Amino acid sequence: MNTPLGLTVMGLVIILSTVTLLIRGKVNPIVPMTLVPIAGALICGFGPEDIADFFSSGLGSVINVVVMFIFAIIFFGILQDVGLFVPVIRALITATRGKVLLVTLGTAAIGIVAHLDGSGSTTFLLTIPALLPLYQALGMSRYVLLTIVALAASVMNMVPWGGPLGRAGAVVAQEPNQIWLHILPMQALAVVMVFLVAAWLGWTEQRRLAGLRATGQFHGPAIVDVRTVAADFAASHEKDVQDKGYSYRSARWVTITNVLLVLVTLVVLLADILPPAPAFLIATTIAMIVNFPTADEQSNALRRHAPNALAMAGVILAAAMFLGVLNESGMLEEIALALVRVLPESVGPYLHVIVGLLGVPLDMLTSTDAYYFSVLPIVQESVGTFGVSGMGAAAALIIGNVIGTFVSPFSPALWLALGLAQGQMGKYLKVAFPLAWAFSAVLVLISFGVGILH
């Protein structure tokens, strides 16, 4: 089996088997991403020492990503605990004044702020319960709410502590921060596009509600008391603190320090002063000291967010085995060479763009782990023979796919959002899928036009 053909076949078997197990969702992603490549390597004649070397090589490419994820998740989790973003979201709710168009624009802004921590579940827990009463009072569609929040969160998922950049960075051996700086102009454009989509959805909702009022099918108010909605949102945070049984410093100097800490951390990342891993390690330790005065309270803060942090870290560590075997055994290279031989010469240099354009539908067919750890390596190796950089290949697949993050039924956070909004997947996809795919395609084409995908 240790021949070019044998390595090609075994590489495809490992990838397809892993993707199938990930899609079925019967086991944790760590299981197939560890055991399947080990089995494939043994069948090809590699021994335990070879597998250890493969893992060591893979681990070297992902360890910084693992550290970043652990401390970024804890850092933003602490800031959520102490309610740093509550006044911002409350102010945005009040600023909508209960007008339909302003409500959709405010929803976009709230979704962007709420997803600063990169956690879809947290974003939906913050936004849906806070905004759903406002939408219901105005007679607005819950699917408009879900779509806008999903798009806003997807765009913000381009941050280096979000899942996509961490996974892609592990594959192409790049710091997530470097990938972020490379695609930052596209993220800025995407934020503007989110507001344009929100404005369009608000306009269509205005027209729909006006039509319903004209025919006597809806008698609700055109404007509601947003102060009550904002107050209820703030009260829900206090209740959450009481339910979880923790306390924190609430003095003005603490809030100011937290705001400065977030700003300094973002500046450090944007200016590339420190890699993300030590930057978030330092920020997390400062946040713990500032917000929790005792060792016990600091330990409890770590325990509250450790499950989320370790779950993501575990997947990336398992990816070290998966990527190490595929790369160091030569399987990935042989697959790419075989693909290049099969593809028409005119298509080869644009394979990453084509896959990027299909990113949202692919997200409906694969899990996020399968997409980045199985599709991206093949695409990277294939277009690399035509002079396309690993950064360009990663950017194409990230920009093409990230917008569909919360459209895919494989996203557990989306099911949480549907439950919170009391919505149905089919009706949601009817609104969100075409918008997300069109949004994604426009971003990919613009990115290619300005040279980001080269």
Side-chain angles (χ1 to χ4, degrees), residues 264-423:
V264 170
T265 303
L266 292 176
V267 168
V268 167
L269 293 174
L270 283 168
D272 204 18
I273 296 170
L274 278 176
F280 279 113
L281 170 59
I282 295 167
T284 300
T285 55
I286 294 173
M288 288 170 59
I289 295 170
V290 168
N291 292 284
F292 303 106
T294 69
D296 285 343
E297 289 172 331
Q298 293 164 10
S299 298
N300 288 335
L302 289 174
R303 278 192 286 270
R304 276 195 300 277
H305 303 291
N308 286 336
L310 292 178
M312 180 61 72
V315 172
I316 301 296
L317 287 172
M321 178 64 77
F322 181 80
L323 296 171
V325 169
L326 288 176
N327 278 311
E328 299 304 315
S329 68
M331 294 179 191
L332 203 56
E333 182 180 359
E334 294 300 333
I335 292 171
L337 291 173
L339 185 60
V340 169
R341 286 193 291 268
V342 171
L343 286 173
E345 191 173 342
S346 58
V347 173
Y350 308 108
L351 179 62
H352 61 310
V353 181
I354 295 169
V355 174
L357 289 170
L358 297 173
V360 172
L362 282 173
D363 211 33
M364 302 282 287
L365 302 173
T366 64
S367 69
T368 303
D369 292 320
Y371 180 82
Y372 286 102
F373 294 133
S374 299
V375 178
L376 177 54
I378 296 174
V379 172
Q380 179 203 3
E381 287 287 335
S382 301
V383 298
T385 61
F386 296 97
V388 178
S389 67
M391 186 77 81
L397 269 68
I398 290 167
I399 293 169
N401 172 264
V402 73
I403 306 302
T405 301
F406 301 112
V407 173
S408 170
F410 290 111
S411 169
L414 175 57
W415 290 102
L416 171 63
L418 287 168
L420 292 169
Q422 300 172 6

Side-chain angles (χ1 to χ4, degrees), residues 115 246 332:
H115 201 69
Y246 67 90
L332 203 56

